[in-house]
Amino acid sequence: QLQLQESGPGLVKPSETLSLTCTVSGNSISSSSFYWGWIRQPPGKGLEWIGSIYYGGSTYYNPSLKSRVTISIDTSKNRFSLKLNSMTAADTAVYYCSRRRVRGITDYWGQGTLVTVSS
Amino acid sequence: DIQMTQSPSSLSASVGDRVTITCQASQDINNYLNWYQQKPGKAPKLLIYDASNLETGVPSRFTGSGSGTDFTFTISSLQPEDFATYYCQQYDNFLITFGQGTRLEIK
């Protein structure tokens, strides 16, 4: 059974960089059939797609976040990562890692990790 | 960028009711439209993909239809476990956008 698990700090200071990792078990991250990505949800609000990565390293980012986001993949450790720089209070959210099939069909999600931006 | 307009933003209904949620894209997205259910404190769950295809294991009371810019999601007979928030999501040229969500509450 595929499982995705986010890890990283729950508290980040304003202007700092958020680093999260998603460890995948039960499926090779090198599969050519899937993309891996990040989605976030501010408390009490809707879902926002952050970006996706393919096992070969191709990345796709939300245009509104593109200047601050880097998603990378480590196939040897079966995990992928998110870096979001210049964090502000508006970036406070639950961050989900996910697997998607073609056409954005997101079929597996991590449990989510709450990241709070505060000094 | 493609914008998704989902309505209503909230809805009150009773067990056994039929409910419909709509999603409109700002431009033609073919049938690249997916629907998700999210319960409080949980990750979203895929229900419908490519506008009208039921994900494996999802009850048949959930259906989707539409193409182009206008899409509909229907629950034919509400069950107690269906009270949740529902999101549409579009895919276009590797970019993804979600609708604002519809909170389905018990009347």
Side-chain angles (χ1 to χ4, degrees), chain B residues 32-44:
Chain B
Y32 299 163
L33 192 285
N34 309 310
W35 291 95
Y36 300 83
Q37 175 193 67
Q38 186 180 32
K39 295 183 177 179
K42 299 295 186 181

Side-chain angles (χ1 to χ4, degrees), chain A residues 35 39 41 45-49 60-61 63 96 100-101 103-107 109-110, chain B residues 1 32 34 36 38 42-46 49-50 55 87 89 91 94-96 98 100:
Chain A
Y35 295 75
I39 293 162
Q41 184 171 37
K45 296 188 178 180
L47 300 165
E48 180 180 35
W49 175 71
Y60 312 91
Y61 298 134
Y96 295 100
R100 72 169 181 85
R101 310 194 299 245
R103 300 183 296 281
I105 302 166
T106 305
D107 57 358
W109 301 66
Chain B
D1 302 354
Y32 299 163
N34 309 310
Y36 300 83
Q38 186 180 32
K42 299 295 186 181
K45 174 186 175 183
L46 176 66
Y49 65 93
D50 289 345
E55 177 70 352
Y87 293 92
Q89 174 220 33
Y91 171 85
F94 294 103
L95 303 183
I96 291 169
F98 288 91
Q100 302 93 323

